[in-house]
Amino acid sequence: MSPAPPVASRDRLRIAIQKSGRLAEPARALLASCGLSWRESRDRLFCYGETLPVDLLLVRDDDIPGLIADGVCDLGVVGRNVLLEQDGDRRGAGKPAAFRELRALGFGGCRLMVAVPDGWSWDGPAQLAGKRIATSYPALTAQWLARNGVDAQVVLLSGSVEIAPKLGQADVVCDLVSSGATLAANQLKPVETLLQSEAVLAGPVGEFDDVRGELADLLLRRLDGALRIKHSKLLMFQASRELLPSLLPLLPDAEAPTVMRIDGEDGLALQALCHGAVTWQRLEDLKRAGARGLMVLPVEGMLA
Ligand code: ATP
Ligand code: ZN
């Protein structure tokens, strides 16, 4: 294949996301939480950005790295597993890197794992020497085998990898695992983790040299804010000044709290952004330590 063509200049940013599947809805929801909204085309493959010049292209997840490499899209939301597999594939073919991970997005979590038949006792990768490994991730599997100095045969399957041992196509599998239920249903057990994956925002290796650079920076700043507050809550309460030293240790996950004096009283009002779970238990602990008027508020947006 010839090298990627030079990226045509554009005055709108184009983001590829999965059309349907595990990453489709969370990707849209995350981008919407960054203040983006779209008008959908009739064929539902393209969404025209309304609040900002940021459009969506709805595609199969496997196509996303290639669309970035070819400059058809500027950014994409895709599993790290797909991104690294295709990067490994390009490197194997002597092509230069053409995309990279810009941010981990905190959803679509799974692991790429080697799984062996339930009956096997496992004592390490060397056990795979001369065996057949069924996988949809040949580059990542080959890299891992090479790292471990194991000579095994990689059998490429595009789907239903987990039934390959039963069908006699392979001895073991290397596949994505989240709960492990699919493996268990096929009498397989996971033994080695090759990759910890989640959905990521991917982009080209170079920088944009037109207005897309500013749009991408704006989006990344909003994304960082959105990711930071995803599980955060604003906690507010009042307390007597002398109780502060016993209350602050109960807020280990809070950013430096804002402490305000209440006019004409000895009390203080506190406001703290907590990044961990604010449970009932925690509120009760704070109350016991002297906090009054405890209030927990959702955080809608944040710009550091
Ligand atoms: P498409 O039609 O877009 O090609 P697909 O069938 O390849 O869809 P999905 O099954 O929706 O894709 O998976 C998309 C991504 O979700 C995977 O690449 C992976 O990053 C992530 N994922 C999270 N958990 C799992 C899991 N248990 N099995 C497979 N993928 C998972
Ligand atoms: Zn796919």
Side-chain angles (χ1 to χ4, degrees), residues 5-297:
V7 178
S9 183
R10 264 200 300 268
D11 56 2
R12 302 179 66 84
L13 194 70
R14 198 179 287 163
I15 308 178
I17 65 169
Q18 198 185 20
K19 180 170 163 43
S20 58
R22 288 183 162 92
L23 308 183
E25 274 319 303
R28 258 180 114 123
L30 182 62
L31 293 171
S33 78
C34 294
L36 304 182
S37 69
W38 308 272
R39 194 159 13 99
E40 218 159 302
S41 72
R42 228 172 252 282
D43 58 11
R44 301 188 145 211
L45 296 176
F46 189 80
C47 302
Y48 185 82
E50 287 188 315
T51 37
L52 278 176
V54 179
D55 306 323
L56 297 185
L57 198 63
L58 309 185
V59 296
R60 285 200 55 199
D61 65 343
D62 317 72
D63 293 337
I64 292 175
L67 289 169
I68 295 172
D70 293 343
V72 176
C73 285
D74 305 309
L75 302 172
V77 176
V78 63
R80 182 180 293 136
N81 48 302
V82 171
L83 198 68
L84 289 180
E85 171 64 24
Q86 296 198 19
D87 186 54
D89 188 43
R90 287 180 67 92
R91 281 168 200 268
K95 294 183 198 165
F99 34 76
R100 65 185 167 125
E101 177 175 330
L102 300 176
R103 291 293 187 280
L105 300 178
F107 60 88
C110 57
R111 289 187 286 174
L112 182 64
M113 299 190 80
V114 170
V116 302
D118 273 341
W120 284 29
S121 67
W122 182 248
D123 35 63
Q127 210 174 330
L128 296 178
K131 297 281 192 281
R132 294 165 304 159
I133 309 177
T135 187
S136 305
Y137 295 87
L140 291 174
T141 305
Q143 281 170 12
W144 180 80
L145 287 169
R147 272 202 307 279
N148 286 283
V150 178
D151 191 11
Q153 187 195 337
V154 176
V155 179
L156 175 61
L157 295 179
S158 56
S160 307
V161 168
E162 64 286 346
I163 60 165
K166 239 187 242 165
L167 300 180
Q169 293 168 296
D171 305 296
V172 305
V173 305
C174 178
D175 203 8
L176 293 178
V177 182
S178 42
S179 70
T182 311
L183 289 181
N186 287 282
Q187 291 83 47
L188 296 169
K189 60 175 181 187
V191 290
E192 297 276 342
T193 300
L194 280 65
L195 176 73
Q196 200 84 46
S197 186
E198 65 186 281
V200 304
L201 183 74
V205 279
E207 304 290 327
F208 300 111
D209 55 6
D210 51 29
V211 71
R212 287 173 298 169
E214 286 151 45
L215 287 170
D217 286 348
L218 175 78
L219 181 68
L220 284 172
R221 277 199 302 276
R222 290 190 181 182
L223 205 51
D224 288 338
L227 292 170
R228 253 177 101 198
I229 61 166
K230 209 167 177 187
H231 305 290
S232 302
K233 294 271 186 281
L234 186 67
L235 180 62
M236 296 171 79
F237 58 88
Q238 298 187 358
S240 311
R241 189 181 302 265
E242 72 277 9
L243 294 177
L244 207 53
S246 46
L247 286 163
L248 291 182
L250 296 172
L251 305 169
D253 59 329
E255 293 191 12
T258 309
V259 183
M260 293 162 283
R261 214 158 52 86
I262 304 174
D263 227 11
E265 284 184 41
D266 183 37
L268 297 172
L270 268 93
Q271 185 174 302
L273 182 65
C274 294
H275 295 297
V278 182
T279 57
W280 281 108
Q281 176 69 55
R282 208 156 153 204
L283 294 179
E284 285 153 7
D285 291 347
L286 283 161
K287 191 170 159 67
R288 256 193 301 280
R292 298 187 308 266
L294 280 151
M295 215 174 348
V296 186
L297 289 91

